[in-house]
């Protein structure tokens, strides 16, 4: 069954009484080469397991299942259950879990479904939850080696921007803290049904296990990043002083000591400087 063929999709929908729900980000892939490329460039092979987020009719799920040891997929829409029973029939290494990826207990899911195996995440993400899903996967330090996901082109550009450039934001810094991001390829809106109003891109995040920026206090690091990027075009000293209750003069001294200007904006600091800023503030707080 060719799941990228619109007439096949229409037939499945009419036989199972299914229709698209726009609010769930249901733009299904109808370009076969894109599905294959996500699975191949996402590192799928018989030595790893795959986690997919959002199955749709199972077009990518199938590509992942045939290449991996085991594939588990989380899908929110139970209306897809009878369709998936049909489209994934005959594949005995795939399991669909019906639930909300933003709420599901991921640690438990990994223990139960992957039992310590190496996992790659591959997905055509529902765009309304791109950032929270990526952040959850990274923050929970699950045994994931890479995350290969389709996101809106603008989100891909933001995530893969250089930290310390105008395009960077809090998500850029967070993603770079946990991984090495890379843009793989662009995907035009015509590759989906229904066709969205935006173009897309596939990115890959290779997870880094060690604390490569030598951040002393991770919680403080993310608090600082969130605070200074909330007003990233303004001098970072103002929101930071208000948030951490540290006098601006003290923060000026710290910025100079890490090689930044006292009037620096968040978007001017690279990862090493962000880490140095955090560490200097952490030391100051310990002494107080
Ligand atoms: N993988 C399919 C494809 O490429 O054609 C579908 C991709 S579609 C962009 C996103 C899918 O995510 C939909 O099937 C949608 O129902 C599902 N989804 C939306 N929100 C979700 C959530 N919170 N948790 C799990 N799945 C969700």
């Amino acid at each position: 069954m060719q799941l990228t063929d619109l007439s096949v999709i229409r037939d499945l929908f009419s036989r199972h009484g299914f229709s698209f729900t726009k609010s769930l980000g249901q733009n299904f892939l109808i370009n076969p080469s894109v599905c294959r490329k996500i699975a191949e460039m996402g590192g799928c092979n018989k030595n790893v397991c795959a986690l997919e987020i959002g199955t749709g009719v199972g077009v990518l799920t199938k590509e992942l299942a045939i290449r991996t040891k085991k594939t588990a997929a989380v899908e929110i829409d139970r209306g897809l259950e009878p369709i998936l029973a049909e489209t994934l029939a005959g594949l005995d290494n795939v399991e669909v879990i019906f639930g909300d990826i933003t709420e599901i207990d991921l640690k438990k899911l990994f223990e139960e479904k992957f039992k310590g195996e190496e996992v790659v995440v591959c997905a055509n993400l529902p765009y309304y939850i791109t950032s929270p899903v990526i952040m959850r996967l990274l923050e929970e330090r699950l045994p994931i080696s890479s995350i290969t996901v389709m996101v809106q082109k603008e989100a891909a550009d933001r995530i893969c921007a250089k930290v310390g450039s105008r395009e960077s934001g809090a998500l850029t810094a967070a993603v770079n803290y946990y991984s090495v991001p890379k843009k793989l390829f662009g995907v035009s809106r015509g590759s989906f049904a229904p066709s969205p109003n935006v173009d897309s891109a596939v990115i890959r995040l290779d997870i880094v296990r060690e604390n490569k920026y030598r951040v002393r206090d991770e919680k403080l690091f993310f608090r600082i990043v969130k605070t200074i990027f909330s007003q990233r075009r303004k001098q970072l000293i103002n929101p930071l002083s208000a948030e951490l209750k540290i006098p601006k003069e003290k923060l000026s001294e710290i910025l100079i000591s890490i090689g930044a200007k006292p009037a620096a904006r968040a978007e001017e600091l690279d990862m090493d400087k962000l880490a140095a800023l955090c560490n200097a503030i952490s030391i100051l707080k310990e002494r107080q």
Side-chain angles (χ1 to χ4, degrees):
M1 197 188 298
Q2 182 55 271
L3 294 177
T4 47
D5 184 332
L6 260 179
S7 61
V8 170
I9 297 175
R10 280 199 200 103
D11 175 56
L12 280 167
F13 280 23
S14 77
R15 280 191 294 109
H16 295 287
F18 184 85
S19 50
F20 288 111
T21 304
K22 210 175 160 197
S23 61
L24 289 178
Q26 290 182 341
N27 299 99
F28 294 173
L29 267 168
I30 52 165
N31 180 334
S33 74
V34 172
C35 299
R36 275 197 300 275
K37 273 164 83 178
I38 294 176
E40 279 162 12
M41 297 172 91
C44 291
N45 63 60
K46 285 290 170 192
N47 295 319
V48 301
C49 298
L51 171 70
E52 188 192 14
I53 295 142
T55 58
V57 295
V59 67
L60 178 59
T61 326
K62 254 181 142 171
E63 297 291 335
L64 303 179
I66 56 177
R67 287 175 176 78
T68 56
K69 217 185 256 185
K70 176 175 184 178
T71 291
V74 178
E75 169 56 57
I76 200 168
D77 192 343
R78 276 223 170 246
L80 287 164
E81 197 168 4
I83 293 182
L84 291 163
E86 184 176 332
T87 58
L88 301 178
L91 289 164
D92 56 8
N93 64 339
V94 54
E95 190 174 342
V96 180
I97 300 125
F98 287 95
D100 183 338
I101 191 67
T102 61
E103 287 175 1
I104 212 158
D105 184 339
L106 285 176
K107 287 218 163 74
K108 194 162 149 237
L109 184 147
F110 270 66
E111 275 162 27
E112 284 177 6
K113 309 298 175 198
F114 301 130
K115 301 182 171 65
E117 299 273 1
E118 182 185 339
V119 179
V120 296
V121 175
C122 292
N124 170 15
L125 282 183
Y127 292 166
Y128 74 104
I129 45 171
T130 298
S131 301
V133 169
I134 291 180
M135 283 315 297
R136 241 202 118 187
L137 293 170
L138 294 171
E139 278 170 353
E140 293 203 19
R141 298 214 188 268
L142 302 156
I144 295 172
S145 52
S146 64
I147 301 173
T148 303
V149 281
M150 173 99 68
V151 299
Q152 261 186 37
K153 186 187 167 297
E154 287 68 26
D157 291 342
R158 169 64 57 90
I159 289 168
C160 299
K162 198 173 163 305
V163 181
S165 72
R166 248 185 108 71
E167 296 72 36
S168 66
L171 182 61
T172 324
V175 164
N176 273 273
Y177 182 79
Y178 292 109
S179 71
V180 178
K182 188 175 165 197
K183 191 165 165 182
L184 296 181
F185 56 93
V187 181
S188 70
R189 57 195 79 186
S191 292
F192 303 88
S195 170
N197 297 328
V198 290
D199 289 321
S200 302
V202 176
I203 57 169
R204 174 167 161 155
L205 314 177
D206 283 301
I207 309 301
V208 177
R209 300 250 161 257
E210 80 274 23
N211 178 353
K212 68 174 165 168
Y213 295 105
R214 299 180 196 283
V215 167
R216 295 175 98 236
D217 180 342
E218 210 169 76
K219 218 168 141 207
L220 178 64
F221 178 78
F222 285 106
R223 189 171 165 205
I224 292 172
V225 164
K226 205 170 148 209
T227 303
I228 66 177
F229 279 101
S230 66
Q231 300 176 37
R232 68 203 175 101
R233 306 259 188 256
K234 303 216 175 112
Q235 293 185 19
L236 67 85
I237 225 167
N238 296 319
L240 200 54
S241 167
E243 171 71 19
L244 299 177
K245 317 257 175 311
I246 298 174
K248 290 184 192 169
E249 305 72 51
K250 200 72 223 161
L251 287 175
S252 282
E253 283 171 27
I254 288 178
L255 283 167
I256 292 166
S257 76
I258 64 162
K261 292 179 294 190
R265 293 166 295 165
E267 60 185 28
E268 291 169 33
L269 301 193
D270 63 15
M271 280 305 283
D272 289 315
K273 284 206 170 66
L274 287 173
L277 174 65
C278 168
N279 290 348
I281 291 174
S282 161
I283 291 168
L284 176 76
K285 282 191 158 291
E286 264 172 26
R287 286 193 189 138
Q288 276 174 348

